[in-house]
Every structure is written in structure tokens, then in C-alpha cells.
Amino acid sequence: VDVNRAFSEKLGWVKEEAVGKLSLDLGLWIDPKAREQIFTSLKTRGTVENVESRLKTRDGRIIVGSISANPLVIDGVPHFLVISRDITRKTEVEDAFRRNNSQFRQLAETIREAFFLFSPEWGVVHYVSPAYEEIWGRPCDDLYRDPGDWLRAVHPDDVRAVESKIPKSTDEYVGELAFDDFRILRSDGEIRWISAKAYPIRNAAGTVNRVAGIAEDITTRKSTERELANTQALFSATFDQSPIPMTLVSVPEGIITYFNQACAEQLGLVDSREFIGKSLLEIEPTWVDELPSGERLTLADYPLSKAILGELVPPLEVRVTRSDGTKRWHVIYATPIRNDEGELIAALAMFPDITDRVTAEKEKKVLQEQLLQSQKMESLGILAGGIAHDFNNILTGIIGFADLARMDAN
């Protein structure tokens, strides 16, 4: 349905190439089974967090993504918000650690994630990178002296979940330990969100003799996700509850992404979700749009069709005949929507009902015509009265002279 700019920067596909397509169509997955596993987890658990998968970019490069997905309902339609972080560098560092401890130290001290090297029972800290001090706000020396220092910083509401992930014995180590995202309380009172993983390191005999951990500060990401969810909820509520019929479509495909209930009611539809996800070309209208002249409107003539192309179009008045025969007048406003970079990202159409206004204007016109006719008749009466008066004056003289002539004759 949509991708952000980071998607294009990391993977190479611009929005116009990606929106409306399956990730399989783009050839994004190195292993398509990874996609199936993610969707299976979404169906069974309802959410996916920090699943690593190798992805192929548009130019053929291979990167490693940490994928999280959560359900999101937009206008009553279920969607998934999928976030993939590029952890290629992090996995390269982790691989380097497994290959060579000295190389790991050099890399670990130059990146912003915190790295740990614990004993299998987590009772001894063999190494912690300087990034620990930046993230936890606690000295590394304190952690060396007290290996449980990092855990005491975990938010009280998250401690139990974190502790449940730590094996009680070496026999419980199977593979990667993926902690749920948790919060820490720094000594300065700041709360930060942490994404952490741990990996057992085995010796030649297969015995776990070290545990490597990596922790990343994801506070900014969490804040962005929360702001995005809030913005989405605010937009959806405003759009859905607006009394003005509105619809929002993607560009250039013309896929309807939003279609509020007021829009459905004005067109005589039962459910506003009926058209969500369909293109304008796929819609089979149950109504008829006509210009004031009586000419039917074609799809190309709709202001929204022109707005999808980035054109600014003037308002257009149309008469809508619903499937039940009801006729209503609307004025269509359509505008292209651009982002801060000026890129065309969507098109919006609004068509408020102006039936009352049109009816009032027609009634006003009839009254004006009746008034004009009355004024004409009044003027004609005045003119006739004047003419009759003039004729009376003339006839009075004629009759008077006739009487005098008759008197002389007698």
C-alpha cells in the first residue's frame, strides 16, 4: 500500500515501482520461505519482532534485515505495518566476532550498539563495549565488578520478561536468545528502549563457554512508531468522521486507500469499505454522474482522474442519480497531494452535497421570473391607463365641437 523514503534508499525501488506489488514480484526475498514463516507467525501470534532475513536490493546486493510487523486497522481494513532495519553491518560484526575476537573488539568499539561477552551462567563479564556507557548511562567498570548491574537498570515492568529469556543452565542453550524489546531506566531518569540478542559460543567439544550479546538503543524507532500510529489514528478518525464525502487514492495507480462513510452514504452504498483497495478502473458505479447540461461524465472527465496526474482542476458541479432513483447535486473538489520534496504521493477528492443550494437557486430564479412578469403587467396597465386618459382628453374636445356644430345647425 505504501513505502517510506528509507525503503527506497535501502532497497533501491522508488515508491512508484513498489506500491501495489508483492515483495515476491520485486524479488526481494533471497529465501521465499522466510516470507512464509513471517506470515505464518503473523497468523498464529498476530505479531512478528526482529526476525532476521536476507534481502536482495534492486541492484542485486544482499543485505540482512531485522523484520518486525504489527497489525494495523485503517478505515476498518486490516493492514500490517512492516518495519525492516538494515542490520547488515551488525551481522557482519557478529560474524567477525565469531571468526576473530581481536577483530571483533576493533569493530565493537567503533559502532553504536553495545556488545557483551558473558560466561554461560551470566555471572562473569569478559567484555563490554564502550557503547554500553552511552546507552545504559552506567560505567563499564561497574558491570565488570557486578555482572547483574545491567539487569537492575531494566524497567520493573519488563524485568520478568527479560529474566525469562536467560537460560538457567548450559543445557538450555539451543540457539539465538531473542529478547523482547524492553525498557531501561538510566541514572539520569531517562527511559530508553532496548533491542537485545544473545548467542551461545561453543568450544571444540560443543560446550557453551561464552555468551555473546548485542544491545541496540531503539528509543528513536519506538518514538517514531508511536508517532506514526498516533498520526494514522488521528487521520483515520478525522477522515472517517468527517460529514463531507471524501476519498483518497494512490498515484499513479489510482488505488482507493480511503473512502469514508459519508462518501458511501452520498452514493447510496451500504459499506464504505466496498471500494477500498480497488482502482478507479475496477469500480462499477451503481450511480450516474451528469453535468448540468445532462451530459454523462466519463472517467477521464472526473476531477480526481486529473488530480492523479498532478493537475489542478476547478470545482465541478454534477448531478448524481443513485440506484434507487434519488437525484442529488454535488460539487467535486479534487487536488493532488505532494510531500515536502514536491513528489506526488496521492490525490484527494471531496464532493459535498449542494442539493439544497441548487434547489434554492432554482426557486429564486422562478420567483425572479414571476416578479419580472408581474412588473411587466403593472407597466402595461399604467401605459394603458395613460393612453386611455389621453384619448379621453382628445374625445372631449371632439364631442364639444360636435355639440356646438349641432347647435349652430339648429
Side-chain angles (χ1 to χ4, degrees), residues 345-361:
I345 59 173
L348 173 68
M350 299 182 292
F351 43 99
D353 191 318
I354 59 169
T355 304
D356 293 341
R357 192 195 79 189
V358 172
T359 302
E361 289 176 352

Side-chain angles (χ1 to χ4, degrees), residues 180-250:
D180 296 331
D181 294 344
F182 60 88
R183 293 162 291 175
I184 61 170
L185 292 171
R186 289 164 47 99
S187 57
D188 58 7
E190 183 182 359
I191 296 178
R192 293 193 179 184
W193 278 94
I194 305 297
S195 174
K197 293 182 180 181
Y199 308 87
I201 300 176
R202 302 179 184 274
N203 57 21
T207 303
V208 176
N209 61 359
R210 293 288 189 276
V211 176
I214 181 171
E216 178 186 5
D217 184 346
I218 60 170
T219 306
T220 300
R221 190 190 85 195
K222 284 287 186 179
S223 177
T224 301
E225 291 174 354
R226 184 170 58 253
E227 291 176 2
L228 177 61
N230 291 340
T231 300
Q232 186 67 55
L234 179 61
F235 172 79
S236 296
T238 302
F239 199 94
D240 294 340
Q241 298 174 18
S242 172
I244 300 175
M246 294 189 293
T247 184
L248 188 70
V249 300
S250 63

Side-chain angles (χ1 to χ4, degrees), residues 314-333:
L316 179 66
E317 292 187 4
V318 297
R319 183 176 63 184
V320 178
T321 303
R322 301 175 182 171
S323 58
D324 61 1
T326 305
K327 298 182 184 296
R328 307 292 296 180
W329 282 91
H330 298 270
V331 57
I332 303 177
Y333 300 93

